[in-house]
Amino acid sequence: TVVAAFTRLVYALTFEETGLPAGTGWTVTVGGSALSSTTGQIVFTEPNGTYAWSVTPIAGYSVVGNGSVGISGASVNVAVPFSTVLYPVAVVETGLPSGTNWTVQMGSAMRSSTTPLLVFEEANGTYSWSVLPIAGYVTTWKGSLSVDGSAASLTASFTRFTYAVNFTETGLPKGTAWTVTM
């Protein structure tokens, strides 16, 4: 008696992520089965066929979240590029004369403008910021700002620094009127 044993051929269906920080967990679902990893690859073993797949979203990152892939007698690799979601951070200036150049540093980025608006693009996180001084003006010049899944803003209010100037007259007879024009 001859016994014929058949083995179903399966192939590696490898999902390779890029763009996530090392050690970040991510998950792929193929045909109702989910696998997770904290490394750059997730590997399914599947026979020939066409498979729907999806990637579970991760806060702060965008990714092409689904698709389909065909296996036909060979292993298949699917690239899963994650990219950091950036949110606008608007810095609005008040108090400077029109056309005055002003500068803000947000984290390691520095921007200048001669209009009342500067916009940075930042990922989720907390950023230190500072406004470079402008001669003759005072402002709140530093602080921190949190970006948490949406746009953020802050205001740099400049106030003209004024000095008291006192004039003292000497040499006129007492009671003589005098004026100063500045």
Side-chain angles (χ1 to χ4, degrees), residues 74-145:
S75 295
V76 176
N77 289 350
V78 177
V80 181
F82 285 88
S83 58
T84 304
V85 175
L86 299 177
Y87 301 96
V89 176
V91 184
V92 179
E93 167 273 314
T94 62
L96 291 176
S98 180
T100 301
N101 191 41
W102 60 291
T103 303
V104 175
Q105 182 166 355
M106 178 84 56
S108 62
M110 190 173 288
R111 302 244 193 300
S112 295
S113 181
T114 56
T115 68
L117 178 65
L118 283 172
V119 179
F120 292 84
E121 295 286 327
E122 302 293 347
N124 284 337
T126 300
Y127 298 90
S128 61
W129 59 268
S130 61
V131 177
L132 274 62
I134 295 178
Y137 290 88
V138 293
T139 186
T140 302
W141 63 277
K142 69 178 181 175
S144 67
L145 175 87

Side-chain angles (χ1 to χ4, degrees), residues 12-27:
L13 174 54
T14 304
F15 292 85
E16 298 177 343
E17 73 81 11
T18 56
L20 291 177
T24 301
W26 62 295
T27 302

Side-chain angles (χ1 to χ4, degrees), residues 1 15 18 20 27 36-37 41 46 53 58 60 63 65 67 70 79 113 131 140-141 148 150-151 160 166 178-179 182:
T1 315
F15 292 85
T18 56
L20 291 177
T27 302
S36 297
S37 178
Q41 290 187 337
E46 301 293 342
W53 58 269
I58 297 175
V63 66
S113 181
V131 177
T140 302
W141 63 277
D148 189 16
S150 64
R160 185 88 166 132
N166 295 315
W178 61 284
T179 60
M182 216 169 144

Side-chain angles (χ1 to χ4, degrees), residues 8-13 15 30-31 33 35 43-49 51 71 74-75:
R8 187 170 196 185
L9 295 175
V10 292
Y11 303 94
L13 174 54
F15 292 85
V30 173
S33 297
L35 292 178
V43 180
F44 292 84
T45 52
E46 301 293 342
N48 288 334
Y51 299 91
I71 297 176
S75 295

